[in-house]
Amino acid sequence: MSKAPGGNPVARQDPDAFAVEFMICDFCGSYFCDRCHASGSLLRAPRCTSCGGKLVPGARLEQMSGRARPAAAEHHDRGVRHIESGRPDDAVRELDEAVRLRPEYTAAHRVRGTALAGTGRHTEALAAFERALQLDPSDVVSHFERARTLLAMERAAEAVAAYDQAIALRPDYPAPQINRAIILMDAGRDAEALAAVDRAIALLASGGAVGAGRYDLASAHSVKGAALVKLGRYEEALPAIDHAIDNGPDSWNDHYNKSYALERLGRVAESEAARGIADSLRRT
């Protein structure tokens, strides 16, 4: 944040490339700018989308920095740390307290849902994500996590619809597109899956993706390779599978798909080598 009168002059001259307006939540201390939230979701409203707190101008940052954090925010933060350290049961207890103290705390409901899903309590997790979405229908992460929970509950059609909602809100977020493609492929809708994952690959290659994970591009190529194999397009499948193998974590399934494609192309020795790797990875 610039201390220059009127803001950073470079940013003011190029508002399409820089955030030019900052706000701070006076409850949880979250920072917001006019570049990191969808139009209409934040800076046109007076409340924090994370906890429902009042937004105040960024110029008050130094004034607010010495204040003690509210108890609900502390419970939320401890819950997040417990999830990051692999302790979902402890996280649930902290987040239960956060939402008890502040029922409108969207982020606490969302993170509580993640913690509940981590303990296998999917019905409760789903309710937590739905409560977060009641408070903030534009919360893309809650749509995404709700979709994952629905899939864990074997409600695939509803999961696809939830991913569609996430994609509609953030078309530059690749993870829902990749996961949606996997569900379509598992349902035998291979051509649709291929089209969906091609869009995700194009987004990732463009450099315009937001929230992209380290292995998202490799995962997308893995899905593409599998869809092409199912469609009988073996020659096209091999470069996609090789990209997944070379750039992602070891997956027996990628090597198995490569073996299958090579076998169908009559490349028997290469197929057997790939099958051996697949079998070895599957046993570990």
Side-chain angles (χ1 to χ4, degrees):
M1 188 180 302
S2 173
K3 293 185 179 181
N8 185 323
V10 176
R12 289 176 62 82
Q13 289 296 316
D14 191 3
D16 291 335
F18 292 90
V20 296
E21 184 180 357
F22 293 86
M23 303 288 276
I24 306 170
C25 174
D26 71 351
F27 181 84
C28 71
S30 295
Y31 298 88
F32 300 101
C33 72
D34 57 5
R35 294 284 293 170
C36 60
H37 280 265
S39 176
S41 68
L42 181 66
L43 294 176
R44 292 176 175 81
R47 296 289 170 181
C48 170
T49 56
S50 177
C51 72
K54 182 181 177 182
L55 297 181
V56 299
R60 291 178 56 182
L61 174 62
E62 292 185 10
Q63 175 187 340
M64 296 172 60
S65 62
R67 292 189 332 180
R69 284 175 62 72
E74 289 291 345
H75 285 294
H76 167 271
D77 293 352
R78 283 197 290 269
V80 170
R81 289 195 293 271
H82 285 320
I83 289 175
E84 290 172 346
S85 61
R87 298 161 60 189
D89 289 304
D90 291 335
V92 170
R93 285 190 284 273
E94 293 289 351
L95 294 156
D96 282 346
E97 189 63 11
V99 299
R100 184 189 71 80
L101 291 169
R102 191 170 183 84
E104 67 272 36
Y105 205 154
T106 303
H109 286 288
R110 183 207 315 126
V111 180
R112 181 173 176 270
T114 301
L116 287 164
T119 67
R121 296 157 63 181
H122 297 301
T123 300
E124 294 172 81
L126 186 63
F129 294 131
E130 290 175 348
R131 177 58 181 147
L133 288 167
Q134 287 174 351
L135 293 164
D136 180 12
S138 68
D139 183 2
V140 177
V141 177
S142 288
H143 282 292
F144 179 77
E145 295 296 342
R146 178 174 178 268
R148 296 209 314 171
T149 302
L150 285 164
L151 187 59
M153 298 171 74
E154 300 184 351
R155 294 162 61 176
E158 293 172 83
V160 169
Y163 281 131
D164 284 340
Q165 290 175 294
I167 293 165
L169 286 166
R170 288 307 302 253
D172 50 358
Y173 182 25
Q177 300 184 34
I178 296 168
N179 287 9
R180 180 179 179 275
I182 293 169
I183 299 173
L184 292 172
M185 188 171 59
D186 288 345
R189 297 161 62 180
D190 303 318
E192 291 176 73
L194 179 60
V197 81
D198 272 340
R199 287 193 292 272
I201 290 170
L203 171 62
L204 287 159
S206 74
V210 298
R214 177 182 177 185
Y215 295 120
D216 276 2
L217 188 57
S219 296
H221 278 89
S222 176
V223 177
K224 178 174 183 173
L228 287 166
V229 166
K230 290 187 70 181
L231 290 165
R233 295 162 60 179
Y234 306 119
E235 197 74 56
E236 296 172 75
L238 288 173
I241 297 169
D242 281 338
H243 186 285
I245 290 171
D246 293 342
N247 297 281
D250 278 334
S251 164
W252 72 267
N253 199 53
D254 287 330
H255 290 279
Y256 177 85
N257 286 336
K258 180 175 182 177
S259 171
Y260 187 88
L262 289 165
E263 181 184 10
R264 291 300 181 273
L265 291 168
R267 296 161 61 176
V268 177
E270 294 170 87
S271 172
E272 289 177 351
R275 182 67 62 91
I277 296 171
D279 291 343
S280 175
L281 290 171
R282 197 171 186 177
R283 286 194 295 268
T284 59

